[in-house]
Every structure is written in C-alpha cells, then in structure tokens.
Amino acid sequence: MTISNIPYLTDSSGQEHPLEAIQTRLGRSAENEIVILNKLASREHAVIRREGRKAILEDLNSTNGTYLNGRRVSGPVHLQDGDHLTVGGVEFVFHDPDMTLHDTPLPELEINLTAGEVRLNRRPVLLSPKELALLAFLHQHRGKVCSKDEIGRAVWSEYREGIFDYQIENLVRRLRAKIEPDPNAPQLLLTVRGLGYKLALPGR
C-alpha cells in the first residue's frame, strides 16, 4: 500500500515500489533500492530522483539502456503519471497520486526541423509538407502573433498571387488535429482574433 501523495512504480506483478527517498536506484546489485533480477539489467542501471514534486529518470550508462514509453532515454527526463518505463528488461508504470495538485502542463511538443521530426508527448506525429512548414514558421516565431499574410508568404512562397484566408484556416485546422490533444480546445496553436495565430509557450 502506497503512502498518500508519494509517487510510486508498479511492476508487471502489480507490486508497488514507493519513491520515498530523494533518489531511488534500480539495477541488479542488491545495494539498489529496487533490485532487478534480470540478465539485461546492469548492476547500477538507472536512478529516479525527486526534485520537489517532480520525479526525474536518468539512465546510469547501462549496457542495454533505459526506455520511457518505448523510447530510449539519452538524458534526464521528467516522469509523468502513467508513463511506462523499461529498465533492464523489466517494465514499470509510474504513478503520481499528487498530480491533481500540479499545474496543468502544456502538451509536450518536440520539433526537430533538421530531421523533419515532430513528437507530441513523446509520440511521433506525421505531418504533410505544408503542415510542417506552418509549424516550422510558427515555431521560429513562437510566442509572437503571426498574421495570415505572413503565414501565406512563408508557407506558400511559390504562389506570387497570394493565398486565400480559407486555405490558411484549413491548414491550421489540419495541423491542430495532429498536435492538439483536443483540437476544439487548442493549447498550442492559438488564434488571436483579428491578428492571426501564435504557437504558445509555457507561461505565455
């Protein structure tokens, strides 16, 4: 049974592992707080550190890596309620009973323009060339309002005659459908009436 408001892990058998200490180490060695009896686990495989109300997962240069929601972690990552961890071949689910007291975060949007990759809450998002061009332009000017004229020139640079408003609005609608958890209540791609659109930043 977990202690109220203490984050914890559950393993595949349903056993709970409270994360009460400032740091909880996971690995094959008996000195770890959570011992993983699996040949894929390194002696000191990973650690979960608590920083205030946050829990940070970090791989400890393990041989087989640490995975979060199916993706190998390459540095410290902030855990969220319901995240799936794979450490040394063993799967865990992270639980945060105190999540209702946290500020509601924006959806986590990762944009790698060089690779043409976009992820929403760590999951890949497939965009058309025009959708990616719109997102890239808004990201370049993130936090600022971009007019429809500016968007038209940037996204449809091949059209010298100009772009109709409905074309921009349809493109915004399609992009929202892919990057917003609820396209009808956008949190990232915001409309500023009479001015244009902007890509939101935390605290703005």
Side-chain angles (χ1 to χ4, degrees):
M1 188 70 89
T2 57
I3 301 173
S4 176
N5 294 336
I6 295 294
Y8 62 98
L9 301 178
T10 53
D11 58 30
S12 57
S13 69
Q15 182 178 352
E16 298 179 356
H17 305 271
L19 304 173
E20 300 177 61
I22 296 297
Q23 70 172 24
T24 300
R25 296 167 300 170
L26 302 88
R28 203 172 65 247
S29 170
E31 297 176 356
N32 293 291
E33 284 74 28
I34 298 178
V35 178
I36 299 176
L37 300 177
N38 189 304
K39 63 182 181 181
L40 295 177
S42 297
R43 288 183 58 79
E44 293 185 353
H45 197 106
V47 63
I48 297 175
R49 298 186 179 88
R50 294 187 58 191
E51 299 179 1
R53 291 186 297 189
K54 293 182 179 180
I56 309 296
L57 170 69
E58 186 173 2
D59 183 76
L60 297 176
N61 297 317
S62 65
T63 301
N64 293 300
T66 298
Y67 292 80
L68 178 63
N69 298 322
R71 184 181 180 189
R72 187 166 182 163
V73 302
S74 57
V77 289
H78 175 204
L79 294 176
Q80 299 179 14
D81 185 67
D83 276 345
H84 288 253
L85 292 66
T86 304
V87 182
V90 176
E91 293 189 4
F92 298 90
V93 178
F94 174 74
H95 303 272
D96 184 2
D98 199 29
M99 68 173 294
T100 56
L101 299 180
H102 297 181
D103 294 331
T104 301
L106 286 175
E108 184 180 345
L109 186 65
E110 302 174 64
I111 303 171
N112 184 336
L113 296 179
T114 303
E117 295 179 349
V118 176
R119 291 178 179 271
L120 178 66
N121 293 332
R122 303 170 188 157
R123 292 176 174 83
V125 177
L126 297 178
L127 300 180
S128 70
K130 290 300 184 189
E131 291 164 354
L132 183 59
L134 172 58
L135 183 59
F137 179 73
L138 293 174
H139 184 260
Q140 182 182 0
H141 299 87
R142 54 193 179 277
K144 298 179 181 179
V145 180
C146 299
S147 70
K148 289 181 179 179
D149 286 342
E150 292 171 328
I151 291 172
R153 288 194 298 270
V155 177
W156 286 272
S157 58
E158 69 276 20
Y159 292 170
R160 298 179 182 276
E161 297 80 7
I163 296 299
F164 293 105
D165 283 359
Y166 79 86
Q167 292 174 278
I168 297 172
E169 292 163 2
N170 286 340
L171 182 61
V172 167
R173 190 177 302 115
R174 294 200 303 270
L175 181 57
R176 277 182 175 149
K178 294 184 178 181
I179 68 169
E180 297 282 1
D182 181 359
N184 295 317
Q187 297 175 271
L188 294 169
L189 206 174
L190 306 179
T191 299
V192 182
R193 294 195 178 279
L195 296 177
Y197 303 95
K198 74 173 182 177
L199 193 65
L201 290 176
R204 295 192 182 184

